[in-house]
Structures are given as structure tokens and as C-alpha cells.
Amino acid sequence: MHSPLPLTRDLVLIGGGHSHALVLRKWGMKPLPGTRLTLINPGPTAPYSGMLPGLVAGHYARDELEIDLVKLARFAGARLVLGRATGINRDARLIEVEGRAPVFYDLASVDIGISSDLPALEGFTEHAVPAKPLGPFAESWERYVTQVRAGDAAPCVLVIGAGVAGVELALACAHRLTQEGVAGKVTLLEAADTALRGIGDGARRALLAQMGEQGVDLRTGIRIARVTAEGVELEGGEVLTGGITIGAAGARPQGWVADTGLQLTDGFIDIGPDLRTLNDPLIYAAGDCAHMTHAPRPKAGVFAVRQAPVLAHNLRADLTGGARRGYHPQKDYLKLISTGRKHAVADKLGLRLEGDALWRWKDRIDRKFMGKFHDLPKMNAVQDIPAEAAAGVGEMLAGGVPPCGGCAAKPGAGVLRGGLAGLPAPTRPDVLHGAGDDAAVLRHGDGVQVITSDHFRAFIEDPYMMARIAAVHALGDIWAMGARPQAALATLILPRMRDRMQEHTLREIMAAASAVFGAAGADLVGGHTSVGPELTVGFTVTGLHDGTPVGLAGARPGDALILTKPIGSGTLFAAEMQGRARGADIAAALAQMAAPLGPAAGVLAPVARAMTDVTGYGLAGHLLTILRASGAGADLRLADVPLMDGALALAEAGVRSSLYPQNAVMLSEVAGADAGDARCALLCDPQTAGGLLAAVPGDDLARILDDLRAAGAHAACIGEIVDGPPLIALR
């Protein structure tokens, strides 16, 4: 059997800045075999700074200026670690990431941007919003505009810092308030006696004129004493009222960089012409977080963009033994500065150049840049069919859907029933239940022990997150039977990679699994590991119960059906494999999948008459197992079934998991189902680490839902158990 080339080097990009985004795109066009590429970033998207004033002014929607790092990482074949880097242990070559195991690197690059936070200014951290990082600022601004629109916030904006960034933001804020139809006021505060230092006289005069025309109040020589919830208090006691206070004064480095031992200038990472740090050849830096010692320049996105080809070349050269290149920035460059409305000022050679045409030019440049990420080339994710192949190969690949991972990688329910049909019934008196329920039940002292096993192929590249989700998924059967988790054994297949990479991959997996099992009260006591063509993760788990476990057979007419997590993960990750899912939706789905069911099980187990976890055979399949075992039917309110963000739109677009066709056979047992309806299709969507589905006494429903929500579960009542054959009727 053909297997991929082994992995021999770990390249890690810290931060999703412009340089790294372009490196990822270039890498996707021509990957380097043998390299595992990793991107670490706090969130699933990275905003493009050039279009931020346009967003503030209302010219762009948020998604127009965001680089979707989930899609970009998939295109590049990279694993995406959603977490905030907090340090680098250069001796051990480990990158510390908040809330998870550290990430090993052979070669690393830092592109984490800057902050305009002013922590030394009293009250700023609590009451102001720094303009950088851009993502949190954009969220705060849109929230503020919504409050102004509703009359819940004063339309008064205070901007601290009258450099180019501050002036551009102040003008954008003024335009947006005008567009919202409110009589707003924008005040720009500058400590120096002159605004807009560092640009040409012509551009300065044009921007000052624009502020005058649009009513922006510029105040220079200002000394701020403190920022408060109501605005800004100046030295001398004057108070300026503001519904939002924005910090745009200067550029501050990320604080954790100071503890890395890298050579710094004013907190920024010193780099040479080849973009390597000066005292560690294994670490590069680019963008605003770096200081070019050979050619110091102001912080500007143009340098990050132009560093990218050199950075991509040099990283590849270091991984292959090639020659590095140097980056030598131009001394002067054209700055196009927007003025709130669709009008811009050009800063070049001291001339005064402005007009609507300049804004249209800037808009074309910005959209062209973002088009590189919004319109990624299509890559073939499905294996090509050889000219000569056995009968049936073409038929199995005809759908063009790559095989899914997670619980969507199961065989169909019919295959499973047929394959297990000859399995003999348990003969030992201490084996109380075998195949057919969520877990085997064994006599154990005065109570019972339940035991279950689950295992699936990776559906994301991050082994830490994969292990967290796999552990939650494996515990699902234990929680569904109301048992207390006891012990777990791991079963892992690691990809072919050099020993040190395997060691660190195994360390990440075990750290994640230990955290999940430990929090559930179980011990991870060992397991078995082998090497194969791709990562698979599984666990065998035992649990204890002092009485009779909750099974599938106790549901009664009149019981309410409760679901504790939304569905849609199979559709979302099928779309993610095809580059069609929104990164924010994937990040939200991962968080929901990694959420343990223990708190919800603690509420449901004492009252549930029947309970299961919703996994590979979808909500319809798992509800039908309860109905068959209980000899009852169910009315299901389709509109009340909670869905993961983005799942419905993708289902309406025709996205289906590779397991969906086998699951969809079960729609024949769902009265009123329309296979062409997206919500009906999602009933057959395979779930990984899905929620608990429980039948509970209907007269106690309100209290149970309140308790579940207090426990943090996204619980919903989706229907009732009714008299009749084991069928589902949609209502």
C-alpha cells in the first residue's frame, strides 16, 4: 500500500499576520514534502489592516476584510492551533500556548503584530479600546455602533493619538455616525503640539482640512490624567464625555516577547536582512513585531506584505539546505489614507493629492489583496481514478466527496448490523449486557462496571484538539449510562515522522486526554501506539454505577425528549475539508465538541428513563435506537432541534458528510421527512462528540431544563415520546 512520505521537520508560524498569511498561500501552491507546517493564532480569522478604516466607516462588511485562517490552513495543508502564544522555550524548542500543551518546532517565525494599548494610562485597560489588535477593536466598534443605533450609548467618540492611524480612524468614526443618522461628535486628542508628524506637508494639510469639513475636533498639547467609564479626564480637571474611547497612540510590542531572550529594540524583535532574529538562527520574525536593524522603518503593512516572498523563500531554504535571500525595503512609498467617506489622500513627495479617484484606487488595491485569500485555487481532495481499476471503484468515488474523519468515518448502520449479526450472546453470568446498548455492562461487586471503546481517524490536523474531542466522545457512552468514569486506555496510530516529532505529538495527545479524563474523575492508565499512514485516536473507557445504568429501553409515552448539544458537525467538517466552511463556525463547533457531557449527565442520569449520546448515526439514528428498544414512537419538532452555526446554510448548499447516504436510509422511518429539506438532512448528519439525547418525565421538564442550562448545557426540548410503532413523526 502506498503511504505518504514521512514527516521530518516542524515549521511553526506564530501569528496570522499579513506576512504569514502570504507564506501559507504560497506554501499551499507548492508544499514541501516532509514538513509539518503549523500556524498558531488566537482566533480563526485575521483582519487586513488596510481595510479597517473602511469597516469603521461602514464601507465594508466584516468578512470582506478578514482572512479566514481555517480555510487558508486547509489550503496550505497546515495544522491550525487556535490559541494565544505566550512564550518560547528556546532551549527545548517549545512554543508555549495558553490553555494547551506547548508546540515543538525545528524552525519558527513570529508575526504577531502590535498593540496600541496604553497600560500606563490610568483606567485605559478597563475603559478604553486599543485600535490594535484589529480583531478585538472591530468587534468593539460594531458593538458600540449597535448600542448607538438603539440609543443605549452616547454618539461621542474620543480618539487618543493624532498620527495617521488616529486621524484615519477619527474620520471613519465621524462618517459612520453621520451615516447612522445621529448627531455625533468625534474628538481627537494629541499629546504633542502638532498632529500628523511623519507625513508630508501636502498630505497633512489635506487631512486637517478633511477633519475641519467633517467636524472632527482636534485638540493638541493634551495631557490625559485618566480614562473613565464616562470618557477622559484631563490634567487640570476638564472632563470629556465619550461613548467609546479609542487608543491609537503609538505601537507597543506584545509583552511576552521580552521573556524569550531574543535580541530586541524597544521590545521589537531585531532581525537582519534575511529576516532571521539576530541571536537565534532558528527563529524568524516579520511584520510590525519585528525591527529591521539593517533598515529601520515605521510600522506599516506594506513592509509585512513585501517581506512575505523573502520569508517564504528563506524558510524553505533552511528546511532544504538552500541559500537565503535578503530583504531591502524602499526608503519611501506611497501612502493612501482614507478620509471616512469614499475619498482618500495620498502622501508622496510632500505633494497635496486627494480625491474620490484615490479612494477607488485604494479600494481596488485592498480588494485585490484580499482576493488572494477569498478566492483560493481549487485543490483536488479526491483521489484520481486510474485508467485501469477494479469494477466499482469509479462508482464509489463518483460523488466527489472526500472521506470524512471523526465519527463520520464509521461504516453505515446496515453494515454494522450485518457484520455483528453472528456475534454470540454473552455466556458469562457477570456480563449483563453486550452488543446493542451504548456500552457493555459487567457485574462489579454490589454494582456494575460499564466498558466502551471508540476510535476514529483525524478530521483536523491539531493532535491536541483531536485528543480532547476523542476523549469527550469516548466518555459519551459512560455518561449516557449514568456511570462514573473510572479509567481509560489509549489506542493511537501516529503518522510516520521522525522520533522527536512523534514524541512531541504523543505528548500533546496524552496531555489533552489526561486533562479531559482527569476532569471527569478517571485515570488515563496507558494504551497502545502504532505507526501508520495517518493519525487516528481512540480510547477504551470504563465506568462504575452503584445500581442499574440508564439504558435505551425505558422511554414512555408522555416523556419529553431533551438534546444537550446542537447538531451539524458532520456537515461542517465535510465542508471544511472542501474549503467551504467559515472559520468562525469551525472554531465554534470545535469548542462545542470539546465540551464534556459530565455536567449534563449529572442532571439527567437521576431522572432519565432512556438516554444515549448522539454520534455517528445522527440524531434520527440514535433516537430510533431508543424507540426500538422502548417499543414507542416519537413526535419530533424539527424547528426546535438546535443546529451548529453555519450547518443549515451548508446543508442547504448541498454539503453532506460521506456517511450521510448510509444514514439517510433511516429517513424511511421518519414520517413527514423530505430528503431534499436541509433540516431533515441534518437529522442524519453524523456527529462527533455530540450531545446527550434523553427521555425524561414530561411533568418535570421545566426544572430539568433550568438545571441543565445552569450546568452550562445548550439544552433544548425537541419533542415527546408517544404511543405507537418505533417511528419518528415530524411536527
PDB file of all heavy atoms in Angstrom, residues 582-608:
ATOM      1  N   ARG A 582     -17.005  28.438   7.042  1.00  0.00           N
ATOM      2  CA  ARG A 582     -16.450  29.642   7.658  1.00  0.00           C
ATOM      3  C   ARG A 582     -15.590  29.246   8.851  1.00  0.00           C
ATOM      4  O   ARG A 582     -15.981  28.412   9.669  1.00  0.00           O
ATOM      5  CB  ARG A 582     -17.552  30.588   8.114  1.00  0.00           C
ATOM      6  CG  ARG A 582     -18.353  31.226   7.002  1.00  0.00           C
ATOM      7  CD  ARG A 582     -19.439  32.145   7.556  1.00  0.00           C
ATOM      8  NE  ARG A 582     -18.889  33.276   8.289  1.00  0.00           N
ATOM      9  CZ  ARG A 582     -19.011  33.467   9.590  1.00  0.00           C
ATOM     10  NH1 ARG A 582     -19.645  32.574  10.341  1.00  0.00           N
ATOM     11  NH2 ARG A 582     -18.485  34.527  10.168  1.00  0.00           N
ATOM     12  N   GLY A 583     -14.438  29.871   8.957  1.00  0.00           N
ATOM     13  CA  GLY A 583     -13.542  29.552  10.056  1.00  0.00           C
ATOM     14  C   GLY A 583     -14.165  29.772  11.417  1.00  0.00           C
ATOM     15  O   GLY A 583     -13.960  28.987  12.344  1.00  0.00           O
ATOM     16  N   ALA A 584     -14.945  30.859  11.565  1.00  0.00           N
ATOM     17  CA  ALA A 584     -15.580  31.132  12.858  1.00  0.00           C
ATOM     18  C   ALA A 584     -16.545  30.019  13.237  1.00  0.00           C
ATOM     19  O   ALA A 584     -16.662  29.657  14.416  1.00  0.00           O
ATOM     20  CB  ALA A 584     -16.304  32.473  12.806  1.00  0.00           C
ATOM     21  N   ASP A 585     -17.249  29.447  12.252  1.00  0.00           N
ATOM     22  CA  ASP A 585     -18.180  28.359  12.534  1.00  0.00           C
ATOM     23  C   ASP A 585     -17.428  27.094  12.946  1.00  0.00           C
ATOM     24  O   ASP A 585     -17.871  26.356  13.838  1.00  0.00           O
ATOM     25  CB  ASP A 585     -19.047  28.071  11.310  1.00  0.00           C
ATOM     26  CG  ASP A 585     -19.977  29.227  10.975  1.00  0.00           C
ATOM     27  OD1 ASP A 585     -20.261  30.043  11.867  1.00  0.00           O
ATOM     28  OD2 ASP A 585     -20.416  29.310   9.808  1.00  0.00           O
ATOM     29  N   ILE A 586     -16.293  26.847  12.318  1.00  0.00           N
ATOM     30  CA  ILE A 586     -15.489  25.673  12.682  1.00  0.00           C
ATOM     31  C   ILE A 586     -14.934  25.837  14.087  1.00  0.00           C
ATOM     32  O   ILE A 586     -14.938  24.888  14.892  1.00  0.00           O
ATOM     33  CB  ILE A 586     -14.352  25.462  11.660  1.00  0.00           C
ATOM     34  CG1 ILE A 586     -14.934  25.063  10.297  1.00  0.00           C
ATOM     35  CG2 ILE A 586     -13.364  24.411  12.145  1.00  0.00           C
ATOM     36  CD1 ILE A 586     -15.698  23.756  10.300  1.00  0.00           C
ATOM     37  N   ALA A 587     -14.456  27.028  14.423  1.00  0.00           N
ATOM     38  CA  ALA A 587     -13.934  27.258  15.777  1.00  0.00           C
ATOM     39  C   ALA A 587     -15.027  27.048  16.820  1.00  0.00           C
ATOM     40  O   ALA A 587     -14.793  26.444  17.872  1.00  0.00           O
ATOM     41  CB  ALA A 587     -13.352  28.666  15.877  1.00  0.00           C
ATOM     42  N   ALA A 588     -16.234  27.550  16.539  1.00  0.00           N
ATOM     43  CA  ALA A 588     -17.346  27.367  17.476  1.00  0.00           C
ATOM     44  C   ALA A 588     -17.711  25.896  17.598  1.00  0.00           C
ATOM     45  O   ALA A 588     -17.998  25.400  18.700  1.00  0.00           O
ATOM     46  CB  ALA A 588     -18.552  28.181  17.019  1.00  0.00           C
ATOM     47  N   ALA A 589     -17.711  25.169  16.486  1.00  0.00           N
ATOM     48  CA  ALA A 589     -18.036  23.737  16.520  1.00  0.00           C
ATOM     49  C   ALA A 589     -17.008  22.967  17.334  1.00  0.00           C
ATOM     50  O   ALA A 589     -17.363  22.083  18.131  1.00  0.00           O
ATOM     51  CB  ALA A 589     -18.106  23.186  15.097  1.00  0.00           C
ATOM     52  N   LEU A 590     -15.736  23.273  17.168  1.00  0.00           N
ATOM     53  CA  LEU A 590     -14.700  22.589  17.939  1.00  0.00           C
ATOM     54  C   LEU A 590     -14.891  22.816  19.435  1.00  0.00           C
ATOM     55  O   LEU A 590     -14.728  21.890  20.242  1.00  0.00           O
ATOM     56  CB  LEU A 590     -13.308  23.074  17.500  1.00  0.00           C
ATOM     57  CG  LEU A 590     -12.842  22.621  16.118  1.00  0.00           C
ATOM     58  CD1 LEU A 590     -11.565  23.351  15.724  1.00  0.00           C
ATOM     59  CD2 LEU A 590     -12.611  21.106  16.091  1.00  0.00           C
ATOM     60  N   ALA A 591     -15.234  24.046  19.800  1.00  0.00           N
ATOM     61  CA  ALA A 591     -15.455  24.344  21.221  1.00  0.00           C
ATOM     62  C   ALA A 591     -16.629  23.542  21.766  1.00  0.00           C
ATOM     63  O   ALA A 591     -16.575  23.020  22.895  1.00  0.00           O
ATOM     64  CB  ALA A 591     -15.687  25.841  21.413  1.00  0.00           C
ATOM     65  N   GLN A 592     -17.699  23.416  20.981  1.00  0.00           N
ATOM     66  CA  GLN A 592     -18.856  22.647  21.436  1.00  0.00           C
ATOM     67  C   GLN A 592     -18.538  21.162  21.523  1.00  0.00           C
ATOM     68  O   GLN A 592     -18.945  20.479  22.474  1.00  0.00           O
ATOM     69  CB  GLN A 592     -20.030  22.893  20.486  1.00  0.00           C
ATOM     70  CG  GLN A 592     -20.610  24.294  20.618  1.00  0.00           C
ATOM     71  CD  GLN A 592     -21.587  24.638  19.504  1.00  0.00           C
ATOM     72  OE1 GLN A 592     -21.559  24.056  18.428  1.00  0.00           O
ATOM     73  NE2 GLN A 592     -22.455  25.600  19.762  1.00  0.00           N
ATOM     74  N   MET A 593     -17.785  20.650  20.555  1.00  0.00           N
ATOM     75  CA  MET A 593     -17.442  19.234  20.557  1.00  0.00           C
ATOM     76  C   MET A 593     -16.515  18.877  21.721  1.00  0.00           C
ATOM     77  O   MET A 593     -16.581  17.778  22.271  1.00  0.00           O
ATOM     78  CB  MET A 593     -16.802  18.864  19.220  1.00  0.00           C
ATOM     79  CG  MET A 593     -17.767  18.978  18.045  1.00  0.00           C
ATOM     80  SD  MET A 593     -16.928  19.158  16.454  1.00  0.00           S
ATOM     81  CE  MET A 593     -16.320  17.510  16.209  1.00  0.00           C
ATOM     82  N   ALA A 594     -15.648  19.812  22.087  1.00  0.00           N
ATOM     83  CA  ALA A 594     -14.699  19.551  23.171  1.00  0.00           C
ATOM     84  C   ALA A 594     -15.327  19.737  24.550  1.00  0.00           C
ATOM     85  O   ALA A 594     -14.689  19.416  25.558  1.00  0.00           O
ATOM     86  CB  ALA A 594     -13.484  20.469  23.030  1.00  0.00           C
ATOM     87  N   ALA A 595     -16.562  20.238  24.605  1.00  0.00           N
ATOM     88  CA  ALA A 595     -17.220  20.443  25.900  1.00  0.00           C
ATOM     89  C   ALA A 595     -17.690  19.105  26.454  1.00  0.00           C
ATOM     90  O   ALA A 595     -18.424  18.369  25.784  1.00  0.00           O
ATOM     91  CB  ALA A 595     -18.400  21.390  25.733  1.00  0.00           C
ATOM     92  N   PRO A 596     -17.293  18.735  27.664  1.00  0.00           N
ATOM     93  CA  PRO A 596     -17.670  17.428  28.229  1.00  0.00           C
ATOM     94  C   PRO A 596     -19.153  17.352  28.554  1.00  0.00           C
ATOM     95  O   PRO A 596     -19.809  18.364  28.796  1.00  0.00           O
ATOM     96  CB  PRO A 596     -16.812  17.331  29.493  1.00  0.00           C
ATOM     97  CG  PRO A 596     -16.519  18.746  29.863  1.00  0.00           C
ATOM     98  CD  PRO A 596     -16.432  19.508  28.582  1.00  0.00           C
ATOM     99  N   LEU A 597     -19.668  16.120  28.582  1.00  0.00           N
ATOM    100  CA  LEU A 597     -21.077  15.884  28.881  1.00  0.00           C
ATOM    101  C   LEU A 597     -21.323  15.578  30.355  1.00  0.00           C
ATOM    102  O   LEU A 597     -22.471  15.357  30.750  1.00  0.00           O
ATOM    103  CB  LEU A 597     -21.596  14.711  28.037  1.00  0.00           C
ATOM    104  CG  LEU A 597     -21.540  14.888  26.520  1.00  0.00           C
ATOM    105  CD1 LEU A 597     -21.937  13.597  25.815  1.00  0.00           C
ATOM    106  CD2 LEU A 597     -22.432  16.029  26.081  1.00  0.00           C
ATOM    107  N   GLY A 598     -20.266  15.563  31.147  1.00  0.00           N
ATOM    108  CA  GLY A 598     -20.405  15.195  32.552  1.00  0.00           C
ATOM    109  C   GLY A 598     -21.411  16.038  33.315  1.00  0.00           C
ATOM    110  O   GLY A 598     -22.280  15.493  34.013  1.00  0.00           O
ATOM    111  N   PRO A 599     -21.351  17.381  33.233  1.00  0.00           N
ATOM    112  CA  PRO A 599     -22.336  18.187  33.967  1.00  0.00           C
ATOM    113  C   PRO A 599     -23.777  17.894  33.543  1.00  0.00           C
ATOM    114  O   PRO A 599     -24.669  17.806  34.390  1.00  0.00           O
ATOM    115  CB  PRO A 599     -21.920  19.623  33.624  1.00  0.00           C
ATOM    116  CG  PRO A 599     -20.456  19.532  33.328  1.00  0.00           C
ATOM    117  CD  PRO A 599     -20.287  18.219  32.629  1.00  0.00           C
ATOM    118  N   ALA A 600     -24.013  17.751  32.235  1.00  0.00           N
ATOM    119  CA  ALA A 600     -25.365  17.438  31.776  1.00  0.00           C
ATOM    120  C   ALA A 600     -25.787  16.055  32.234  1.00  0.00           C
ATOM    121  O   ALA A 600     -26.942  15.838  32.637  1.00  0.00           O
ATOM    122  CB  ALA A 600     -25.436  17.541  30.249  1.00  0.00           C
ATOM    123  N   ALA A 601     -24.867  15.094  32.188  1.00  0.00           N
ATOM    124  CA  ALA A 601     -25.189  13.736  32.643  1.00  0.00           C
ATOM    125  C   ALA A 601     -25.546  13.725  34.122  1.00  0.00           C
ATOM    126  O   ALA A 601     -26.422  12.963  34.559  1.00  0.00           O
ATOM    127  CB  ALA A 601     -24.021  12.799  32.364  1.00  0.00           C
ATOM    128  N   GLY A 602     -24.871  14.572  34.903  1.00  0.00           N
ATOM    129  CA  GLY A 602     -25.175  14.646  36.327  1.00  0.00           C
ATOM    130  C   GLY A 602     -26.598  15.089  36.593  1.00  0.00           C
ATOM    131  O   GLY A 602     -27.217  14.682  37.590  1.00  0.00           O
ATOM    132  N   VAL A 603     -27.142  15.938  35.708  1.00  0.00           N
ATOM    133  CA  VAL A 603     -28.531  16.382  35.843  1.00  0.00           C
ATOM    134  C   VAL A 603     -29.492  15.314  35.331  1.00  0.00           C
ATOM    135  O   VAL A 603     -30.526  15.023  35.952  1.00  0.00           O
ATOM    136  CB  VAL A 603     -28.748  17.709  35.078  1.00  0.00           C
ATOM    137  CG1 VAL A 603     -30.227  18.094  35.071  1.00  0.00           C
ATOM    138  CG2 VAL A 603     -27.905  18.824  35.676  1.00  0.00           C
ATOM    139  N   LEU A 604     -29.159  14.708  34.188  1.00  0.00           N
ATOM    140  CA  LEU A 604     -30.105  13.819  33.511  1.00  0.00           C
ATOM    141  C   LEU A 604     -30.147  12.403  34.074  1.00  0.00           C
ATOM    142  O   LEU A 604     -31.217  11.773  34.107  1.00  0.00           O
ATOM    143  CB  LEU A 604     -29.774  13.760  32.021  1.00  0.00           C
ATOM    144  CG  LEU A 604     -30.068  15.030  31.222  1.00  0.00           C
ATOM    145  CD1 LEU A 604     -29.496  14.925  29.820  1.00  0.00           C
ATOM    146  CD2 LEU A 604     -31.570  15.293  31.171  1.00  0.00           C
ATOM    147  N   ALA A 605     -28.993  11.872  34.475  1.00  0.00           N
ATOM    148  CA  ALA A 605     -28.943  10.459  34.874  1.00  0.00           C
ATOM    149  C   ALA A 605     -29.942  10.100  35.975  1.00  0.00           C
ATOM    150  O   ALA A 605     -30.575   9.036  35.904  1.00  0.00           O
ATOM    151  CB  ALA A 605     -27.522  10.083  35.292  1.00  0.00           C
ATOM    152  N   PRO A 606     -30.151  10.937  36.992  1.00  0.00           N
ATOM    153  CA  PRO A 606     -31.111  10.546  38.035  1.00  0.00           C
ATOM    154  C   PRO A 606     -32.572  10.538  37.573  1.00  0.00           C
ATOM    155  O   PRO A 606     -33.428   9.938  38.238  1.00  0.00           O
ATOM    156  CB  PRO A 606     -30.892  11.610  39.124  1.00  0.00           C
ATOM    157  CG  PRO A 606     -29.552  12.194  38.855  1.00  0.00           C
ATOM    158  CD  PRO A 606     -29.405  12.153  37.377  1.00  0.00           C
ATOM    159  N   VAL A 607     -32.883  11.211  36.456  1.00  0.00           N
ATOM    160  CA  VAL A 607     -34.288  11.336  36.054  1.00  0.00           C
ATOM    161  C   VAL A 607     -34.587  10.711  34.698  1.00  0.00           C
ATOM    162  O   VAL A 607     -35.757  10.467  34.377  1.00  0.00           O
ATOM    163  CB  VAL A 607     -34.708  12.828  36.027  1.00  0.00           C
ATOM    164  CG1 VAL A 607     -34.635  13.429  37.422  1.00  0.00           C
ATOM    165  CG2 VAL A 607     -33.847  13.642  35.048  1.00  0.00           C
ATOM    166  N   ALA A 608     -33.570  10.462  33.876  1.00  0.00           N
ATOM    167  CA  ALA A 608     -33.809   9.963  32.519  1.00  0.00           C
ATOM    168  C   ALA A 608     -34.327   8.524  32.559  1.00  0.00           C
ATOM    169  O   ALA A 608     -33.804   7.685  33.288  1.00  0.00           O
ATOM    170  CB  ALA A 608     -32.532  10.043  31.699  1.00  0.00           C
TER     171      ALA A 608
END
